[in-house]
Amino acid sequence: MKIIVFVMTLMMLSSTAFGSCYTNQYGRVVCNNEEKAGGYNRRTGTAWKSEKNQNGITTTQTSKGGTATTKDGKGVYESANGKKCYKTANRHGCN
């Protein structure tokens, strides 16, 4: 469930088109500019960056080695240790 919330948060942040940095309500520093976004969570020490391609697919990488690929609320997350999780229109889970 945490992964789904994380991916959805990243999708919302990456879709904004502001070129500024700010601290959001969770205490995370977030910087956006058109198709790119990034941020840093001081509490956990995790940084992330996100890019959206011309097909609307968002790829997000974390400083701890995780990668998420999402589009329209659906996607795949792969952790640094190789565990994969997915979310489709009707299902979600991890392998």
Side-chain angles (χ1 to χ4, degrees):
M1 186 65 176
K2 290 180 183 179
I3 295 170
I4 295 169
V5 172
F6 177 73
V7 170
M8 296 301 290
T9 302
L10 293 178
M11 287 181 58
M12 289 186 337
L13 293 174
S14 67
S15 66
T16 59
F18 301 103
S20 62
C21 296
Y22 61 92
T23 302
N24 67 15
Q25 68 267 29
Y26 306 108
R28 296 183 180 117
V29 177
V30 180
C31 301
N32 300 335
N33 71 348
E34 301 214 9
E35 302 299 320
K36 297 181 181 180
Y40 177 72
N41 184 339
R42 288 178 281 174
R43 190 171 44 97
T44 62
T46 303
W48 57 270
K49 67 176 182 173
S50 181
E51 294 184 16
K52 186 181 278 190
N53 70 14
Q54 67 273 13
N55 298 321
I57 298 171
T58 303
T59 302
T60 305
Q61 296 177 324
T62 69
S63 60
K64 295 191 177 184
T67 303
T69 305
T70 59
K71 181 177 180 178
D72 298 330
K74 303 168 192 89
V76 177
Y77 169 78
E78 184 172 357
S79 68
N81 64 6
K83 183 176 182 179
K84 289 187 180 183
C85 297
Y86 66 93
K87 182 179 182 294
T88 66
N90 301 315
R91 300 181 62 171
H92 60 85
C94 296
N95 298 334

